[in-house]
Amino acid sequence: MARSKAQTQELLDSYRTMLRIRRFEEAVARHFRAGDVHGFVHVSIGQEAVAAGACGPLGAGDVITTTHRGHGHCIAKGADPEAMMAELFGRDTGICRGKGGSMHIADPALGILGANGVVGGGIPLAVGAGLAARVRRTGTIAMPFFGEGAVHSGAFHEAMTLAVAWSLPVVFVCEDNGYAEFTRSGSWKGPTVADRARSYGMPAEEVDGSDVLAVRAAVLASAEPARAGDGPRFLVAHTFRFSGHYEGDPEPYREDDDRALWDERDPLAVARKALGSRHDAALEQLGEQVAEEIDAAVKRAAEAPYPTASEVFDHV
Amino acid sequence: MARSKAQTQELLDSYRTMLRIRRFEEAVARHFRAGDVHGFVHVSIGQEAVAAGACGPLGAGDVITTTHRGHGHCIAKGADPEAMMAELFGRDTGICRGKGGSMHIADPALGILGANGVVGGGIPLAVGAGLAARVRRTGTIAMPFFGEGAVHSGAFHEAMTLAVAWSLPVVFVCEDNGYAEFTRSGSWKGPTVADRARSYGMPAEEVDGSDVLAVRAAVLASAEPARAGDGPRFLVAHTFRFSGHYEGDPEPYREDDDRALWDERDPLAVARKALGSRHDAALEQLGEQVAEEIDAAVKRAAEAPYPTASEVFDHV
Amino acid sequence: MSETPRYMEAVNQALADEMERDDDVILMGVDVGEAGGVYGVTKGLYERFGAERVWDTPIAEAGVLGAATGAAISGLRPVAEVMYMDFISVCLDPIVNQAAKLRYMTGGGVTVPIVFRMQTGGGRSGGAQHSQSLEAVLAHIPGLKVFCPADARDAHDLLVEAIRDPGPVCYVENRRLYRRRDDEWDRPALPAGQPRIVRAGEGATVVTWGRMVSETRAVLDELDGAAANVELIDLRTLVPCDLAIVAESVRRTGRCLVVHEAVERHGPGGEIVARLVEQVLWHVDGPVRRLGALPTPVPYSPPLEAEMLPSPERIAEAIRALLDD
Amino acid sequence: MSETPRYMEAVNQALADEMERDDDVILMGVDVGEAGGVYGVTKGLYERFGAERVWDTPIAEAGVLGAATGAAISGLRPVAEVMYMDFISVCLDPIVNQAAKLRYMTGGGVTVPIVFRMQTGGGRSGGAQHSQSLEAVLAHIPGLKVFCPADARDAHDLLVEAIRDPGPVCYVENRRLYRRRDDEWDRPALPAGQPRIVRAGEGATVVTWGRMVSETRAVLDELDGAAANVELIDLRTLVPCDLAIVAESVRRTGRCLVVHEAVERHGPGGEIVARLVEQVLWHVDGPVRRLGALPTPVPYSPPLEAEMLPSPERIAEAIRALLDD
Ligand SMILES: Cc1ncc(C[n+]2csc(CCOP(=O)(O)OP(=O)(O)O)c2C)c(N)n1
Ligand SMILES: Cc1ncc(C[n+]2csc(CCOP(=O)(O)OP(=O)(O)O)c2C)c(N)n1
Ligand SMILES: [Mg+2]
Ligand SMILES: [Mg+2]
């Protein structure tokens, strides 16, 4: 299918977002190994197309909630990688003043209501944001991101139930990235995620989570009726967790053929192939820009001061 | 359809069970008003066919869990009305030694793992009993009873998910009795209970909960494959809560046409009609027997001693 | 003036006034809307404010409280009901891991103006799952405030304060007080955190909250001799809680008893005793003690439950022992 | 003998031994099976005992713990894992309202032989939802026992005891101890409920449990003068908990500090202080104090978290103050 000029621009923009996420997370992983980034860190390498494709079409007033694996969603929704990196370095200039870290990264002013360390925990929060949008007639939508592992949780069920019961402007985005920790997707007898979603009486679509424009199109199609008051929508993005569950994961559970998928599933490679060679020069330049941006983010994070001890009592 | 002799006997037996439940609960309501029965009391008048029909075909090793509205299930599974009445009177001779009361009535030795004061709370317990049956290869099944109000709870979702994931010998029985507290069934946009159940990948059947033989037949059909290791089954019994939500409920929320349903939905009337006039004499005698049994239960409960204070520390 | 409002009417009035004052205040809970609440506490609010302000919910408390929390960080001020405090067991995550922590985790990026309304009330054979006083569980969680009004005046004022608070407040009613009217309805409002001397005395100090305030007062009114000369303090809120007034009292009286309906073991009294001991150890010449419920689930049978909970008899006995030892 | 087992190996060994001994013992939890647990604690058990004994579960903790409870009253002895103690927020009902109360509510009709394995461990930037020590919440609930092993010996022995216990036990590991080996692996097993004197002394008594035992011991080993002469007691289990040994110590030393990783406010220290004060008030000539974490959510940033949790410096300072005041 031929691509319009606008679509090409969207693809270029999305590529940039994905690349920023990728380079950011590669830096995070490096600096985790170096001991600069602490605690539990989960990167979304391989899943960038979902973040970029889903957040791209959102407006400033739209909100997201995310999971323990939320860097990509934050960047795609507009968070500043420098402030994010400073957060992960535990610095006072961090996006949460060093108090959140990777698992709680957030920028509420940008509609990023936060990562969440509790599987399923962010889904009801987004439903509540949708409720607020309805009550306040803001015309905005809420989008919870969550993994396929979360759909067994009571929080998922109750959140879905409320969104349907109250026809809330929510677009649920489930990223099926092949694993929940060390357990392969589909290990549990039961319906597919999309069928599960449909069973609540909610339209659900499945989309190739490595194809950023496909994700984008699906989100656009879902967001419109949700925004118009036609009730919630659901997307399942089939994607691929290239890294371990957490940084440091030795991944003994990986199956041999896993890595083989990488070449065809890497969303950056997919986008690049779609763009063809015509943009090589521009993309090369973009690559340098992004590398510089992330290098600078790391540098400034490393130079930033830690919070002073007395700040422990702030914001309780 | 002509009824076999065996079926007639089943109907007579079931009628007896239903009548014992009815008279028991009528006495409970009376003695609640008199101040002999305490706390929160929920009777199942109008729903006796579900208890009798579902528990009738169970074996001694099969287990049930029930809800805040559990007297009927207990009696149908074989609990002694006298010990139950003593429990509700708070006496030392009570089936739980006075410690449980109506909302926690139980007789584990008979496979009655207990009523539950937490909506949804008993469902995972039954799934666990099913797990034990599988692990221990007992050939028994577990049957959680719950109301249609419970299906929105996370406990329901997680319990269903596990039963399917592990192919457990569980027959779920949802009683849709028209109300959850003061909220009519079907008030919430979303799937029917049966469709919800099917969405987990579990066969589900709907049955007229006022027709005891229909319930019985449905349970028999479901129990067999569940017992044989073919995974869980689900029944929705459409029934009718004739009383208030709790004893003392002024029921301002009742709709006018509600009571009109009573004549056609009363499971005792339905069974009696099916039996025809041929058994009138026998049923009259049965009525007297049951009345005597319940009167005696009340009398002995009222005469029984309260637990002594030091028993408060027993069984912690 | 006609009769002063009952405790439950004071709750209703606070809700109505705040909903009138601030369009962002909404209610959520099982049967809080059309039915007016299982105890009638929210009666009339659905009719008055409509379905976009008063949200009946399915029985899905974890989802509802999570949604309420999400709404609170999106500009609303939800008052979400947990029908019985015992049921925090099914919805603790939104209270404890989300609402309590979101402001902190975001470094001040959000405020979480939410009230978790819940009620307790043992002593009426509610059974083990409908009778628990779990305020200590909530008070242990940084980020949560915990209010426990003991009379209609405080039921009103503390709820108003809770709704206006920028952070999450667990507001714990006692259903056995619902129908009570208040001698002191005209008492001026006191801020959360400040205990109130209910009855002056010099022989000992008794600290309590919730239903145990009126229960203890009635006991004291019956006692005579030295036992009558006891100071009674209503703590009102567990968090915040400025113990200065209590410490001053204990320095004066030299003896202290903390009474609560919650189980004594690892209950809220431990905190109060430990803090008082820090502050007054060298001033006391008598014991600093607790009296709470026994370490058992709440039994159904009336005599067993009476044994398990702090009864007037046990309170009287503990006060006498306090004065004697 | 070769090297003594690490803490996590001691847990694994107790599980293996009990599963070998009793076919009714089963394991349940997210990734406890094929993967051997997220920290490797259950490694090898799936291979050894098979899928009917070691149950990997979906992320549905309320369902899983409820099912484990149902299995426990149906003849099995499940050991169900909550991956992080913080997540009791999503599965408190089966722990608190079902397992803890079922024996009581049925008047002894069932026993509930179940172990809830969970782990905590602040101080490594786990963030607000992966760092909490919530043992006080569980210890407050009648019907639950709470074990908090501080070293490999107890990790093993207390788990064996927990599995054999006819009632529910919350068994709280500390992941920061997982890789530690034990100086005293040959120490004889002590029953739950009995505190252990880790280090004798006459100047003051410090009571603690979990990771704070080794932390405090290290601090004491560094101190000199009077401060070195401090008795250190490992409480080992919060419920049951016989304080006689502690009270005897405090009568001797005249001063006491309770140290814990949990938040101080309404934390487990309050109970211990309150009980000690009851027993030893007239024998102490110094303070009876607590040192716990500050009343804030656990911050991510290392210096903030170090400030929030009881650090070696703050422990040392508190001990010096205890001796000086
Ligand atoms: C309630 C809860 N249970 C368990 C965990 C531990 N845990 C963290 S991530 C994870 C797997 C989540 O899988 P999925 O939802 O597919 O997200 P993914 O990691 O693949 O992005 C688990 C079990 C948790 N954080 N919260
Ligand atoms: C977790 C929880 N939330 C709320 C309640 C209060 N409550 C008791 S019964 C009930 C309605 C249950 O309706 P349904 O499941 O249909 O059962 P029914 O009463 O009709 O038998 C509610 C909301 C409860 N007991 N537990
Ligand atoms: Mg996944
Ligand atoms: Mg119902």
Side-chain angles (χ1 to χ4, degrees), chain B residues 147-149 175 177-180:
Chain B
E148 88 293 345
E175 290 183 69
N177 64 354
Y179 288 96

Side-chain angles (χ1 to χ4, degrees), chain A residues 42 47 67-69 117-119 146-150 175 177 179-181 241 245, chain D residues 30 59 61 83-84 87 90 130:
Chain A
H42 311 81
Q47 305 179 213
T67 69
H68 55 285
R69 200 179 302 287
V118 179
V119 167
F146 49 96
E148 87 295 343
E175 289 182 69
N177 65 354
Y179 287 96
E181 284 189 359
R241 192 192 81 200
H245 169 58
Chain D
V30 173
I59 306 168
E61 285 89 347
M83 197 182 288
Y84 288 75
F87 306 159
V90 300
H130 281 70

Side-chain angles (χ1 to χ4, degrees), chain B residues 239-260:
Chain B
T239 171
F240 181 67
R241 192 192 80 203
F242 184 68
S243 300
H245 169 59
Y246 57 94
E247 287 313 289
D249 182 356
E251 302 183 71
Y253 53 86
R254 280 273 183 195
E255 309 208 349
D256 286 348
D257 58 356
D258 257 30
R259 305 278 171 169

